[in-house]
Amino acid sequence: MQNPVGWFEIYVQDVQRAKAFYQAVLAVKLEKLEAPDSSPMEMWAFPMQQDGTGAAGALVKMDGMPSGGNSTLVYFSCEDCAVEAGRVAAQGGKVMKDKFSIGPYGYIALVTDTEGNMIGLHSMQ
């Protein structure tokens, strides 16, 4: 059985600023995805494993696709979501809701990135 989400995209206006935010907060390195020369988009993928579980995704800059204000929330898995939430403000984002319990499902924190997108951070501890 596979999880229902197969891919996600977070739309951004300033790719370098957004890339720096996510790399610093999640302590990962994003990799540029090559697009056809005629493509009007720039994509930076989060670390992924071809046969791994969970959803892979990327930051995307594309004409006509504004950032922020959407109604989709992507949750990033963490060891302890308070650690990643603690990095947000220093990277230009905002903590909207500090780490809190969601009962037997662990803990989450809600933050906004430098582009105005709200994201979730999830951990079991």
Side-chain angles (χ1 to χ4, degrees):
M1 177 154 171
Q2 185 174 333
N3 288 324
V5 176
W7 181 257
F8 67 86
E9 293 179 348
I10 300 173
Y11 293 98
V12 302
Q13 300 306 304
D14 184 326
V15 174
Q16 293 308 313
R17 178 179 64 196
K19 188 172 75 136
F21 174 86
Y22 282 97
Q23 287 183 150
V25 170
L26 299 174
V28 298
K29 184 171 177 10
L30 277 66
E31 179 180 323
K32 185 170 176 104
L33 295 179
E34 295 303 323
D37 290 336
S38 61
S39 176
M41 69 173 70
E42 182 178 353
M43 299 178 78
W44 287 85
F46 289 89
M48 59 183 152
Q49 295 177 357
Q50 196 69 6
D51 297 324
T53 59
L59 299 178
V60 178
K61 179 173 175 35
M62 181 171 24
D63 291 342
M65 296 300 294
S67 59
N70 57 15
S71 60
T72 301
L73 191 57
V74 174
Y75 281 86
F76 290 92
S77 297
C78 311
E79 283 279 324
D80 178 351
C81 62
V83 172
E84 285 78 2
R87 297 178 186 141
V88 168
Q91 298 304 315
K94 294 180 183 163
V95 175
M96 304 306 287
K97 189 149 177 66
D98 284 315
K99 177 181 175 180
F100 65 96
S101 173
I102 53 172
Y105 305 106
Y107 299 86
I108 62 172
L110 299 174
V111 305
T112 56
D113 69 10
T114 56
E115 309 301 295
N117 298 302
M118 184 177 288
I119 60 169
L121 302 169
H122 174 263
S123 62
M124 290 307 294
Q125 61 173 330

